[in-house]
């Protein structure tokens, strides 16, 4: 299952950090951040609860870029 989320990030480098943090989160099969559109597309692994996984993605993104935001 793929879902798109609105994000808030200040620079392309920060967006790359967020993308890597999302990709390395358990339950995420793939993640892409589009800095220009301010969107994150996340594909979840089979059987995962998207809401629970995205809470962890959000926490992981805050660790690498504390002034970013992922709107769930």
């Amino acid at each position: 299952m793929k879902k798109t989320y609105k994000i808030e990030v200040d620079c392309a480098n920060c967006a790359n950090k967020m993308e890597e943090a999302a990709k390395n989160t358990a339950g995420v099969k793939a993640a892409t951040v589009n800095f220009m559109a301010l969107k994150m597309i996340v594909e979840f692994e089979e059987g995962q609860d998207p809401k629970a996984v995205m809470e962890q993605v959000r926490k992981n993104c805050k660790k690498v870029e504390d002034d970013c935001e992922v709107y769930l």
Side-chain angles (χ1 to χ4, degrees):
M1 166 194 296
K2 279 188 185 180
K3 287 192 153 209
T4 302
Y5 298 90
K6 184 178 180 331
I7 61 170
E8 187 175 310
V9 63
D10 296 332
C11 69
N13 187 46
C14 301
N16 286 337
K17 289 180 184 177
M18 287 177 68
E19 183 174 296
E20 284 304 311
K23 285 180 180 177
N24 293 325
T25 302
V28 173
K29 186 175 181 180
T32 306
V33 170
N34 184 323
F35 173 64
M36 296 302 286
L38 294 177
K39 293 190 185 294
M40 177 186 287
I41 301 167
V42 180
E43 184 176 354
F44 300 96
E45 292 178 354
E46 192 70 34
Q48 295 293 319
D49 175 25
K51 188 171 183 174
V53 172
M54 284 308 295
E55 283 296 334
Q56 192 59 48
V57 167
R58 185 184 211 173
K59 288 177 187 173
N60 291 347
C61 286
K62 288 281 189 187
K63 287 178 189 173
V64 296
E65 198 54 51
D66 64 348
D67 66 344
C68 73
E69 188 57 69
V70 178
Y71 297 100
L72 307 178

